[in-house]
Amino acid sequence: MNLQDRVAIVTGAGRRGGIGVAVAQRLAAAGAHLVIADLAAPPSTLLHGGSGQWEEMQAVAQEIETTGVRCLPLRVDVTQAASVAEMMTAAMQAFDRVDILVNNAGATIGPAPVAQMAEEAWRRTLEINATGTFLCCKAALPAMIRGGRGGRIINMSSLAARRPKIYMSAYAASKAAVVALSESLAQEVAAFGITVNAVLPGDIDTALKQWGFQLEAQVMGRPYDEVVKTNVARIPLARLGVPADVANLVAWLASDEASFITGQAYNVTGGRELT
């Protein structure tokens, strides 16, 4: 999977141990130059799993550059068109091309029963996960089309799009929207040699997933270790995934080896959706 001298943008890459950082590191290992972006702001007052930190993202960028590629860290709010446009301008000024876009920025904000969910929690979840993906695609496409080299767009959805859990209606709806957007957009841009695919991680061992397990334990009144054990028992491969499991698929989808694949939604779940 040779990505030598290609340029990739990875959003939601400000938290060490997360999927975004693993994706950036994997693409760099294949030779791609990187723009890594994150909100890097204090968490909302709503119930939230936290977000990346600016200093942490800068350190990740420095580590990536030791592998021989360039890496530009940027603050971006994917829910704001102006902020996304600034990210694209900075990427083009630094590299003069964009070949790969990985829309990984996402959040679970204020999970609750629908009858008790704050309207702001619903809106913010959809804005980050669905609208943010749309805005980044819209901003990156002109550069990909003008470049005449085609491109790769990989949108991070979730198993929740296929197997929603209770109290997670906003998150599930937003991630289902990502799949539908990917399938529609793939048809629109195929003539330009641009592929669009979605990736649906299941239980991946990240800080956000650990937060989710802690929340589940609290709501259900069960010990944390028991919640984790119960969830792992539902996975045929009998383990939690790790960020590299997702990153390896993303790197393949970004490569020429996947040039005839578009409009697909790939589960990275250890078979969880089968049980």
Side-chain angles (χ1 to χ4, degrees):
M1 291 181 286
N2 183 7
L3 302 177
Q4 195 70 33
D5 295 329
R6 297 185 195 182
V7 175
I9 296 175
V10 182
T11 66
R15 196 169 193 180
R16 196 180 296 278
I19 290 174
V21 170
V23 167
Q25 291 170 332
R26 182 66 185 83
L27 296 180
H33 301 295
L34 271 299
V35 175
I36 57 174
D38 200 281
L39 182 61
S44 166
T45 54
L46 290 165
L47 189 62
H48 184 260
S51 60
Q53 299 299 313
W54 174 242
E55 295 78 8
E56 193 169 9
M57 187 163 60
Q58 285 181 305
V60 168
Q62 291 171 359
E63 290 172 11
I64 287 174
E65 290 200 325
T66 64
T67 67
V69 300
R70 296 170 60 195
C71 185
L72 175 66
L74 296 173
R75 279 192 174 98
V76 64
D77 182 346
V78 297
T79 71
Q80 300 298 315
S83 181
V84 172
E86 290 173 2
M87 175 182 71
M88 283 302 306
T89 297
M92 292 300 290
Q93 288 176 344
F95 300 106
D96 198 34
R97 61 187 288 174
V98 173
D99 304 290
I100 301 160
L101 171 65
V102 183
N103 284 307
N104 176 70
T108 306
I109 296 178
V114 168
Q116 300 171 14
M117 183 179 292
E119 183 179 341
E120 183 186 356
W122 171 271
R123 291 185 183 277
R124 284 294 294 161
T125 301
L126 268 74
E127 285 173 356
I128 295 168
N129 298 343
T131 303
T133 298
F134 158 75
L135 289 174
C136 289
C137 288
K138 182 179 179 180
L141 281 170
M144 288 185 177
I145 292 170
R146 283 196 307 269
R149 296 176 295 269
R152 302 284 184 268
I153 296 176
I154 298 106
N155 296 324
M156 204 63 66
S157 178
S158 168
L159 177 60
R162 304 297 198 206
R163 297 287 297 271
K165 292 184 177 181
I166 60 171
Y167 312 142
M168 297 290 286
S169 57
Y171 184 76
S174 68
K175 291 301 188 178
V178 169
V179 174
L181 169 63
S182 302
E183 293 172 344
S184 181
L185 180 58
Q187 300 172 70
E188 294 181 14
V189 299
F192 301 104
I194 299 170
T195 66
V196 186
N197 292 286
V199 174
L200 284 64
D203 289 333
I204 308 299
D205 193 8
T206 65
L208 185 60
K209 175 54 64 177
Q210 292 163 12
W211 173 79
F213 285 152
Q214 290 167 357
L215 190 61
E216 184 177 342
Q218 179 182 345
V219 170
M220 300 300 181
R222 298 166 58 197
Y224 174 84
D225 290 345
E226 181 181 317
V227 167
V228 175
K229 184 177 180 179
T230 300
N231 279 275
V232 171
R234 298 188 181 111
I235 302 171
L237 288 181
R239 68 170 177 88
L240 296 177
V242 295
D245 292 324
V246 182
N248 288 333
L249 174 60
V250 171
W252 179 70
L253 289 172
S255 75
D256 290 341
E257 294 181 11
S259 62
F260 197 57
I261 296 173
T262 195
Q264 304 304 305
Y266 288 91
N267 297 324
V268 187
T269 65
R272 172 66 182 87
E273 72 282 357
L274 304 174
T275 61

